[in-house]
């Protein structure tokens, strides 16, 4: 194993996996902290997917360190802490505490931090994160139901979360290329900075940043900054050219979409799907009971499974989310939606569905947990940051004799407007 990564949610993990497969690395995603005696998969990179973005900081640190210790035990050569390209976590801030713990455990003293992903309109300039042409705190992320982001200044955001100090590698250095980036990071480390927010507005910047960090024990950021890592291993003679690192088996079974994300992108995708696919929308405000919500959805789906993809969504615009949170509380509202959607996915599998698109990081975590998925082989990319993945039946809770599951775990913010339809066309083609 060359690269060992720890991701703070499930869709972020598949996002990183997709980037590595695109670079020619055979990649496996593991769900949850691996058991100590689990052997390393036959892969160039392994990404451990945790659900640590919204857990208490202490729990996030403990799980991340446990994942790191397993990755060290199986011989990873470099480590990566993956968080969202919108740099979001709880008010207590799990990015800083987890990064602090990883830096300490590896004894490296310094790490870069770069969540930029220009292909998906996430860029960093003068330390400020932009989503498209808007600052992060004006992009809709300020209304996120679990991790609202009120500040676009990443130096300031990370400084509030860490015991160390944070510097900046500005655009003027990044734009000069690998040597200037490496020199700027070295200077920050020598001045006692623990982290460097690194500007990036193009893919070329990310490739250069990755090359400049070839000797770093730990890299932190979004999947974009991993763009340059496969070439580092290839230049050092450790990575050969893979014939098809994203090859997956073909399986039969019905297709379904389950959505829990309330992001603008997912809401737009649902709007498009209504004109092309059967769509059932959960009303958690009217029926705040997960069992009742799932029963209603599965009853609706009974005569629709198997014909064409169907869509079941708990997504809602900000005003409805706010109303539900006001009634139940933020954590209980989120738990209700996750429980309902996970029950629905389990019910659809029991009725023959085998190919799923799941929209939303927390939703994806709930679904794979309910289905008993332990690991995923990463396949072809649907849209930037979102690949199809395959879970062998023996590595799920559905039994070892079936065909397994195809899963596309989509970050709520990712994907084109026609993503739900496109995903199944890609799978067929």
């Amino acid at each position: 194993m060359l690269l060992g990564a720890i991701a703070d949610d499930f869709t972020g993990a598949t996002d990183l996996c997709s980037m590595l497969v695109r670079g020619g690395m055979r990649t496996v995603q593991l769900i949850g902290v691996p058991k100590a005696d689990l052997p390393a998969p036959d892969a160039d990179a392994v990404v451990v997917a945790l659900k640590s973005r919204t857990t208490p900081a202490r729990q996030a640190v403990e799980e991340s360190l446990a994942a790191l210790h397993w990755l060290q035990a199986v011989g990873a050569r470099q480590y990566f802490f993956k968080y969202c390209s919108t740099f979001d976590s709880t008010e207590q801030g799990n990015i800083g505490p987890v990064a602090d713990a990883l830096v300490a455990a590896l004894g490296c003293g310094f790490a870069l931090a770069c969540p930029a992903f220009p292909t998906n309109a996430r860029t960093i300039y003068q330390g400020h994160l932009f989503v498209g042409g808007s600052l992060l705190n004006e992009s809709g992320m300020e209304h996120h139901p679990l991790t609202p982001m009120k500040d676009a200044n990443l130096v300031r955001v990370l400084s509030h979360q860490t015991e160390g100090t944070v510097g900046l590698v500005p655009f003027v250095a990044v734009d000069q290329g690998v040597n200037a980036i490496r020199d700027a990071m070295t200077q920050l480390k020598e001045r006692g900075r623990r982290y460097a927010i690194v500007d990036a507005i193009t893919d070329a910047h990310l490739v250069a940043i990755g090359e400049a960090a070839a000797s770093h024990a730990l890299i932190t950021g979004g999947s974009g900054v991993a763009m340059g890592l496969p070439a580092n291993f290839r230049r050092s003679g450790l990575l050969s050219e893979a014939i098809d690192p994203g090859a997956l088996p073909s399986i039969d079974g019905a297709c379904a979409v389950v959505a829990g994300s309330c992001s603008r992108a997912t809401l737009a995708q649902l709007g498009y799907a209504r004109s092309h696919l059967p769509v059932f929308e959960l009303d958690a405000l009217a029926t705040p009971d997960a069992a009742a919500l799932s029963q209603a959805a599965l009853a609706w789906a009974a005569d629709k499974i198997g014909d064409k993809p169907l869509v079941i969504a708990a997504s809602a615009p900000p005003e409805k989310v706010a109303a539900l949170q006001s009634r139940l509380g933020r954590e209980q509202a989120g738990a209700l939606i996750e429980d309902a959607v996970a029950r629905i996915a389990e019910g659809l599998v029991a009725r023959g569905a085998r190919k799923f698109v799941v929209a939303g990081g927390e939703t994806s975590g709930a679904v794979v947990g309910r289905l008993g998925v332990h690991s995923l082989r990463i396949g072809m990319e649907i849209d930037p940051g979102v690949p199809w993945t395959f879970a062998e039946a023996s590595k799920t809770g559905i039994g070892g004799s079936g065909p397994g599951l195809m899963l596309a775990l989509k970050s709520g913010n990712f994907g084109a407007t026609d993503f739900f339809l496109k995903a199944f066309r890609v799978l067929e083609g």
Side-chain angles (χ1 to χ4, degrees):
M1 189 194 308
L2 301 177
L3 184 69
I6 302 161
D8 69 356
D9 83 340
F10 289 66
T11 58
T14 54
D15 174 12
L16 174 59
C17 289
S18 181
M19 185 66 69
L20 298 173
V21 168
R22 190 194 304 175
M25 299 183 79
R26 297 169 304 129
T27 306
V28 168
Q29 177 175 332
L30 300 180
I31 308 300
V33 177
K35 294 181 179 179
D37 59 352
L38 180 71
D42 180 21
D44 304 309
V46 172
V47 179
V48 178
L50 304 178
K51 196 179 177 183
S52 56
R53 183 173 304 170
T54 57
T55 60
R58 188 173 188 177
Q59 179 183 344
V61 168
E62 290 174 354
E63 292 179 355
S64 300
L65 286 175
L68 174 67
H69 294 154
W70 181 84
L71 291 167
Q72 289 176 305
V74 297
R77 294 171 180 262
Q78 189 176 46
Y79 302 92
F80 195 107
F81 172 35
K82 163 69 173 69
Y83 39 77
C84 187
S85 59
T86 48
F87 208 71
D88 56 304
S89 60
T90 64
E91 291 183 5
Q92 290 72 31
N94 287 357
I95 292 175
V98 169
D100 282 349
L102 297 177
V103 166
L106 291 168
C108 56
F110 176 86
L112 69 87
C114 182
F117 196 169
T119 302
N120 277 336
R122 275 67 165 167
T123 56
I124 305 172
Y125 180 71
Q126 295 299 92
H128 288 71
L129 181 56
F130 290 80
V131 178
S134 301
L135 286 164
L136 176 65
N137 56 303
E138 299 171 356
S139 67
M141 278 302 298
E142 69 271 27
H143 301 304
H144 192 287
L146 297 176
T147 55
M149 295 301 293
K150 309 289 189 181
D151 191 354
N153 186 324
L154 300 190
V155 174
R156 188 161 54 217
V157 171
L158 185 56
S159 294
H160 290 160
Q161 297 182 12
T162 175
E163 298 173 355
T165 55
V166 184
L168 172 68
V169 178
F171 174 81
V172 65
V174 173
D175 204 42
Q176 292 178 48
V178 175
N179 291 334
I181 297 168
R182 187 184 295 119
D183 289 346
M185 290 192 293
T186 299
Q187 290 171 17
L188 288 173
K189 182 177 181 180
E190 290 175 349
R191 293 205 299 265
R193 301 291 189 269
R194 184 176 296 178
Y195 302 106
I197 299 294
V198 186
D199 281 355
I201 63 173
T202 69
D203 285 353
H205 292 152
L206 293 175
V207 172
I209 293 165
E211 183 177 347
S215 64
H216 289 204
L218 174 68
I219 297 169
T220 88
S223 65
V225 78
M227 195 176 296
L229 302 186
N232 291 341
F233 294 118
R234 199 167 283 115
R235 276 190 293 269
S236 65
L238 297 171
L239 179 64
S240 59
E241 294 289 345
I243 296 174
D244 187 357
L248 297 179
S250 176
I251 67 171
D252 295 323
C255 303
V257 177
V258 290
S261 170
C262 299
S263 72
R264 290 178 180 175
T266 297
L267 293 176
Q269 289 155 1
L270 288 169
Y272 184 89
R274 290 187 192 99
S275 300
H276 300 84
L277 301 174
V279 177
F280 183 86
E281 298 185 55
L282 306 182
D283 189 346
L285 193 59
T287 309
D289 179 270
L293 287 169
S294 63
Q295 289 169 7
L298 292 171
W300 169 85
D303 62 351
K304 299 176 180 65
I305 296 176
D307 181 17
K308 60 181 179 179
L310 58 86
V311 182
I312 298 176
S315 307
E319 61 273 15
K320 285 193 175 182
V321 174
L324 184 64
Q325 290 180 338
S326 177
R327 179 175 177 180
L328 301 180
R330 176 176 290 182
E331 292 184 3
Q332 286 182 299
L336 168 66
I337 296 301
E338 291 172 31
D339 188 15
V341 175
R343 288 170 182 256
I344 291 164
E346 183 180 42
L348 292 173
V349 168
R351 291 159 174 79
R354 290 294 182 271
K355 305 168 188 177
F356 285 88
V357 173
V358 187
E362 299 301 314
T363 304
S364 293
V367 167
V368 298
R370 189 82 178 197
L371 298 181
V373 175
H374 304 307
S375 71
L376 297 166
R377 176 69 63 174
I378 309 303
M380 70 291 289
E381 192 173 59
I382 306 164
D383 271 342
V386 193
W388 275 108
T389 72
F390 174 68
E392 295 179 26
S394 61
K395 297 178 180 178
T396 72
I398 65 173
S401 60
L405 296 171
M406 302 296 295
L407 297 169
L409 307 178
K410 185 191 82 71
S411 170
N413 291 301
F414 282 12
T417 303
D418 66 344
F419 181 86
F420 295 150
L421 282 79
K422 180 181 179 181
F424 298 109
R425 290 199 302 268
V426 169
L427 195 60
E428 293 169 0

